[in-house]
Amino acid sequence: MPIQEHIVNQRKILLGNEAIALGLVENCCTMAASYPGTPASEVMSTLAELKRQEGLGLHLEWSVNEKVAFEVALTNSYAGRRSAAIMKQVGLNVAADPLMSAAYTGVKGAFVLVSADDPGPHSSQTEQDSRFFAMMAKVPVLDPSSPAEARELVGEAFRLSEKYEIPVMLRPTTRVCHARQDLDAPSFPTPEQPPLFEKNPPRWAATPKFRLLLHRQLNEKIGRIAQEPSCRPRVLNPEVHTGSGAPRACVVASGVVLAHSFEIMADLGLLDQAPLYGVPMPYPLTPAFRDEVLERFDRILILEETYPVMELQFQDHSKIFGRTNGMVPTAGELLPEVVEDILRTFFQLAPRTPVPAPSHPGRRPTLCAGCPHRAAFFAIKKAFPKGIYPGDIGCYTLGMNLGAVDSFLCMGASINQAAGFWHAYRAGCSEPPPICATIGDSTFFHAGIPALMNSVIQDARFVLAILDNSTTAMTGHQPTPALGTNLDGTSVPRISIPDLVRACGVTFVREADPYQLQDFIELLKEAGAHARAADGGVAVVISKRPCLMDRSRPRPPKKLTITVTEKCKGCDFCVKQFECPAIQPRGEKEPVAIDPTLCSGCGVCIDVCPHGALRAEDNSP
């Protein structure tokens, strides 16, 4: 939705990610690079919309992965220009290598790394804490508690980065990224940052001898940053009594937990009993603040998500209450009710009256009606009924509901796991079962290519199904390198997946439409035979059908109306084995029903039904 549509009395109701994007533009960012990943995706899409609306002269790109995004944006900062790299927390794993080195080399123009964390987790493999990466790399990290503060801290991050020539991390979490807040209308300054790269091999191309010197300089920088007055923790309730007989307990909080803590302490009448300190920069924690708090208080409650970053810097664990002593849960999101329970325990108040959970069961996530991946997964089960199915990261991970995903680890791992299963069975002197890995098109570009090359040269034998729906579906339909356009619609060269697969050394490469179910099953069987042939190898089948939810593509007119005939025995095979939301069970041995509001008219279910009980009527114009 264009940002103008949120205008209210010259203010804007903004998503946290939109606020971050505005902060980047207001602070003269000249380049931003990203790989899509929830909860961070809307930062780049908002930047693209702002660029289009305002004619901004900044370079934006959906990079092929997070490492590429980090390195491209970082180099722009080497040339003296303000830059940003944007990703989610598991994407930072991919960019960890350049992060560690960039902390040593430093920057010239300001460089801000936006790493959005997902406590919970809501849509991630882990609920890891990016602030630990900041500690390990020795770069400062800012932890916003609201969309407004996220926007404000973008400017602080640029200022720190430029002053100390160091990368700075901004670490919003899901509840900040996806919250909404009304904020002042933005201004759009014109950056005046002519590129200038000053050659300095001992810094930019440092050998190990110079790296030791750079490490010492980094330690000095982080020590000075810890003294920055603008980043010092602040008390949010300064009216609390601090003289003789002052409270001997306090709360120290950062991020969205700080916002929860303020509201809950107000509700419980605790704001006039104990100071609440907000920490905008949890690393490096200001030593003077730490020493003052340890001296003044006997009991210090630390609330942060999701790891004990501030706790570990306090060092005096006899006074600290948090994760290290069990006061705060060691896993899971610190939701308001969790924070309330912690505060009640810490201040020795009566327990909260629990709210009963809803009695009705929820519905598990499932692939959309008409999703081509569902047809591909059903075909894989039919072709390899006793197979092993390594899966990957994307909406197609939901193939586990269909019994067609047995494992998933991280992006690109499906191919390596398929090879690992093959070698495990071969080394164990056992005949390997059929192995069919699945990976999406965007994920294949992101991390699948090296894995496929390795599998080929190591003579692994399995089938790889590349689920090509021509978009990055799970995170908002961002373009893939195969689409032929970049994020603003400009035409760019298309990268052919079949050509890439052949370049990796694969000789069996076929592309087919999974809607043609029987043909697709036979093709998979042919690929399986090639994988096991004496002169065979890895076989790749590309399941090619656009995502039905991609609004950038014209939606085909609905051609088929599916009806249930008297042949339906109510066996629920279609419900349990195909799990299309449009097919509704009606009770034991009762015929199923088709929900016409959900049915896409793909017609695949006709081939799925073992009794031929589903019929299609062609309603083509």
Side-chain angles (χ1 to χ4, degrees):
M1 180 182 293
I3 288 182
Q4 280 96 332
E5 293 184 24
H6 296 308
I7 293 179
V8 180
N9 298 327
Q10 300 304 311
R11 289 171 68 84
K12 295 185 177 183
I13 301 173
L14 297 179
L15 202 66
N17 283 338
E18 292 176 328
I20 292 170
L22 285 184
L24 292 171
V25 171
E26 291 168 334
N27 286 279
C28 299
C29 181
T30 66
M31 176 187 286
S34 178
Y35 181 82
T38 305
S41 301
E42 296 90 352
V43 178
M44 180 58 77
S45 58
T46 302
L47 286 171
E49 182 69 16
L50 288 171
K51 178 179 179 179
R52 185 189 66 80
Q53 291 175 7
E54 304 295 331
L56 304 177
L58 70 162
H59 174 78
L60 303 175
E61 66 174 65
W62 287 120
S63 304
V64 73
N65 64 31
E66 294 86 357
K67 181 178 187 292
V68 172
F70 189 104
E71 292 167 351
V72 169
L74 176 71
T75 306
N76 186 61
S77 75
Y78 282 6
R81 293 163 61 80
R82 290 190 164 190
S83 314
I86 305 155
M87 59 199 67
K88 67 182 294 179
Q89 88 281 11
V90 288
L92 185 55
N93 298 339
V94 181
D97 195 4
L99 170 64
M100 298 299 157
S101 196
Y104 278 40
T105 64
V107 299
K108 291 299 288 186
F111 176 76
V112 173
L113 167 63
V114 179
S115 183
D117 281 6
D118 187 24
H122 296 274
S123 59
S124 307
Q125 306 95 289
T126 69
E127 55 175 348
Q128 68 195 58
D129 192 331
S130 294
R131 300 176 307 160
F132 260 37
F133 263 119
M135 290 180 70
M136 182 162 62
K138 296 183 179 178
V139 300
V141 55
L142 305 176
D143 200 0
S145 60
S146 66
E149 190 176 26
R151 178 182 179 181
E152 175 187 338
L153 289 181
V154 169
E156 182 65 20
F158 275 127
R159 187 190 70 80
L160 284 175
S161 179
E162 220 152 59
K163 180 177 179 179
Y164 293 99
E165 297 191 356
I166 190 173
V168 175
M169 181 187 293
L170 179 72
R171 181 259 193 178
T173 59
T174 299
R175 300 292 177 176
V176 172
C177 292
H178 291 164
R180 292 188 183 275
Q181 189 171 1
D182 61 312
L183 302 172
D184 291 331
S187 60
F188 298 99
T190 301
E192 296 182 3
Q193 301 168 33
L196 176 62
F197 176 59
E198 298 175 348
K199 294 189 177 184
N200 185 358
R203 180 179 183 182
W204 307 125
T207 57
K209 176 182 177 181
F210 291 104
R211 292 278 167 166
L212 177 60
L213 176 62
L214 292 175
H215 190 187
R216 289 172 177 156
Q217 293 173 354
L218 174 60
N219 290 339
E220 293 172 0
K221 287 180 184 179
I222 208 71
R224 296 199 304 274
I225 291 170
Q227 308 292 341
E228 276 285 320
S230 61
C231 297
R232 183 184 173 91
R234 61 200 184 281
V235 64
L236 272 63
N237 51 338
E239 67 280 359
V240 71
H241 181 57
T242 58
S244 173
R248 301 301 296 171
C250 73
V251 179
V252 177
S254 71
V256 74
V257 188
L258 173 62
H260 298 336
S261 301
F262 185 86
E263 292 180 357
I264 293 167
M265 288 181 69
D267 291 343
L268 297 177
L270 294 172
L271 287 181
D272 59 355
Q273 297 183 32
L276 170 61
Y277 292 95
V279 183
M281 185 174 70
Y283 176 82
L285 197 63
T286 305
F289 165 75
R290 180 195 63 204
D291 296 342
E292 174 190 340
V293 169
L294 286 171
E295 180 180 351
R296 285 185 53 197
F297 301 100
D298 298 327
R299 301 171 71 243
I300 303 163
L301 174 62
I302 299 183
L303 296 173
E304 55 186 329
E305 288 181 325
T306 52
Y307 297 166
V309 169
M310 293 190 293
E311 278 187 60
L312 294 178
Q313 295 175 82
F314 267 88
Q315 299 172 352
D316 187 344
H317 293 295
S318 63
K319 294 185 175 185
I320 303 302
F321 292 78
R323 283 186 165 84
T324 52
N325 76 338
M327 175 71 72
V328 178
T330 56
E333 190 176 11
L334 295 185
L335 296 168
E337 57 267 28
V338 178
V339 174
E340 181 177 346
D341 288 342
I342 295 168
L343 288 168
R344 284 178 176 273
T345 300
F346 181 73
F347 288 104
Q348 300 177 343
L349 302 179
R352 171 177 60 94
T353 302
V355 177
S359 57
H360 57 82
R363 192 186 77 174
R364 69 179 182 179
T366 187
L367 295 168
C368 302
C371 176
H373 299 340
R374 176 179 285 104
F377 283 128
F378 186 83
I380 288 168
K381 290 192 299 180
K382 281 290 187 180
F384 312 115
K386 296 183 179 180
I388 297 176
Y389 314 124
D392 224 293
I393 305 300
C395 53
Y396 50 88
T397 306
L398 292 170
M400 71 176 72
N401 294 357
L402 301 168
V405 169
D406 293 323
S407 66
F408 68 92
L409 184 66
C410 59
M411 294 187 73
S414 63
I415 301 174
N416 292 322
Q417 289 193 325
F421 281 126
W422 168 265
H423 293 306
Y425 276 90
R426 292 292 291 176
C429 301
S430 301
E431 179 65 20
I435 301 168
C436 183
T438 49
I439 190 171
D441 48 342
S442 182
T443 308
F444 178 71
F445 285 115
H446 178 283
I449 298 168
L452 183 56
M453 286 190 291
N454 187 72
S455 298
V456 170
I457 64 173
Q458 298 300 331
D459 196 29
R461 303 298 187 93
F462 59 87
V463 176
L464 171 63
I466 299 178
L467 307 177
D468 182 2
N469 60 5
S470 304
T471 188
T472 313
M474 187 176 183
T475 54
H477 301 287
Q478 295 83 9
T480 73
L483 191 59
T485 59
N486 64 13
L487 84 171
D488 63 4
T490 304
S491 294
V492 295
R494 293 176 180 266
I495 307 298
S496 164
I497 291 179
D499 288 349
L500 270 178
V501 171
R502 293 186 185 97
C504 291
V506 178
T507 58
F508 186 103
V509 185
R510 303 285 191 277
E511 191 173 80
D513 183 353
Y515 275 13
Q516 305 303 315
L517 188 61
Q518 296 303 325
D519 291 342
F520 199 77
I521 292 171
E522 293 305 314
L523 177 57
L524 287 168
K525 290 180 179 178
E526 183 185 349
H530 173 84
R532 290 175 171 272
D535 58 347
V538 177
V540 174
V541 174
I542 302 170
S543 173
K544 184 73 172 176
R545 168 68 69 158
C547 174
L548 289 177
M549 303 302 291
D550 187 355
R551 296 180 183 177
S552 68
R553 293 175 172 271
R555 191 158 188 170
K558 186 174 178 180
K559 296 182 179 180
L560 301 177
T561 298
I562 309 300
T563 58
V564 182
T565 71
E566 67 281 357
K567 294 181 180 180
C568 181
K569 302 180 183 298
C571 69
D572 284 352
F573 177 87
C574 57
V575 174
K576 296 174 182 177
Q577 298 298 318
F578 196 57
E579 201 187 59
C580 178
I583 304 176
Q584 303 288 323
R586 297 171 61 189
E588 187 176 357
K589 296 184 179 180
E590 290 292 322
V592 298
I594 304 297
D595 185 341
T597 63
L598 293 177
C599 180
S600 69
C602 68
V604 177
C605 59
I606 296 171
D607 291 322
V608 169
C609 177
H611 306 294
L614 301 177
R615 183 175 62 200
E617 296 176 7
D618 193 337
N619 293 324
S620 301

